[in-house]
Amino acid sequence: MKVLFLNEGDRKKHYSRIERDFFLKLGDLCHLSVYDLDCSYYDKRIGAGELERLFRPDLVLVLYTYYMRVGKGRFLYNHFIDKFRVPVVVVEVEHHKFPDRDNWYRKHGVDLVLFRGAVEKCSVPSAWLPFSANEQEFSLGDNSRSDKILFVGSDGVGNSDYKLRRDALRLLDKNKLLYKADGLQGRDYAEILKQFKCGFACGLGELHTLIAKVFEMMACGCVVLDQKIKYDEILFGNKKCYFTYRDDLSDLVDIVRFVLNNDVSEIRNNAYEIVSKFHTDRVRIMELYEILTSFLYKGEIYKPWGM
């Protein structure tokens, strides 16, 4: 199978772990050609037809992120991907409110959609490919710091989807329970997860969606505090793997204090066991390969997570 991977390449570098870096691993399983802004031979004048002649792919894989949507990137707008004669698979990396999602995919001739955060209703054929943790970067630490809960990430200023996250961070900070680390990436990001007993995930407010840092924290032995994650019974089975708080934040402070001051090793161990077995990049990239080959050669949609 020959895959042409298109990525707008306009995100901050610390996002590359769940965007570009993860998908490059597909090259271990098939012939993968990459065309994005990081390529030395990138030329914005090249159209879809010429790319198809240059790379001769069996299938085109395109990343679709929130920032690409806002910026109207060329790969996914201006009828660029419509021109390919081979199947086009779009991976929806960021999960936000896209009210016209269904119409947009149909309009642009997308053949298959892969959701990474949470599955949405979609008339275009689709499958769920949940996020995962890179087992080569995220591993158990001593998690000895238990005076505060760790948060690494953005508070999403100006984005309504992040309102609950901002409110929660303000509440934790007011109660002197928050350690906020901004701008960490690569090894520094993984290492700080290994230091803290508990980490604050907080998906996208009312969306209750899975975000990548949930599995990354668990892989490092950092106990996760989050809203109830949509489809958590599918991801974790019947084992308790993380702590939750109410959407109105009424119990947030009490739960953080409980986790910081009590033995929660059972939860920590449950989460590490499940992630190690089902939610590493090694497992997930094989699922991606099986989805693509099943779709390309059998005309079937393999759904490793049932959706």
Side-chain angles (χ1 to χ4, degrees), residues 186-249:
R187 181 175 297 179
D188 293 336
Y189 168 58
E191 288 303 315
I192 201 168
L193 296 185
K194 299 174 187 179
Q195 297 172 21
F196 279 77
K197 179 181 182 181
C198 182
F200 185 66
C202 190
L204 298 178
E206 65 189 59
L207 299 178
H208 289 257
T209 189
L210 171 72
I211 56 178
K213 72 179 67 176
V214 167
F215 292 145
E216 292 166 347
M217 288 180 182
M218 291 176 174
C220 291
C222 182
V223 175
V224 170
L225 177 62
D226 200 352
Q227 299 168 273
K228 187 181 187 309
I229 301 169
K230 190 181 290 187
Y231 311 126
D232 61 352
E233 70 282 0
I234 297 175
L235 296 168
F236 302 114
N238 58 8
K239 288 190 175 183
K240 182 175 177 62
C241 293
Y242 69 109
F243 286 90
T244 62
Y245 55 90
R246 300 190 188 106
D247 284 1
D248 63 6
L249 307 181

Side-chain angles (χ1 to χ4, degrees), residues 59-63 87-91 110-114 292 295:
L59 177 148
V60 176
L61 184 67
V62 194
L63 291 193
V88 173
V89 178
V90 168
V91 182
V110 174
D111 297 286
L112 177 65
V113 179
L114 301 182
L292 297 181
F295 180 69

Side-chain angles (χ1 to χ4, degrees), residues 103-122:
N103 290 332
W104 190 91
Y105 287 137
R106 288 200 309 270
K107 176 183 176 182
H108 288 271
V110 174
D111 297 286
L112 177 65
V113 179
L114 301 182
F115 295 106
R116 300 228 65 194
V119 180
E120 293 294 328
K121 291 182 179 179
C122 187

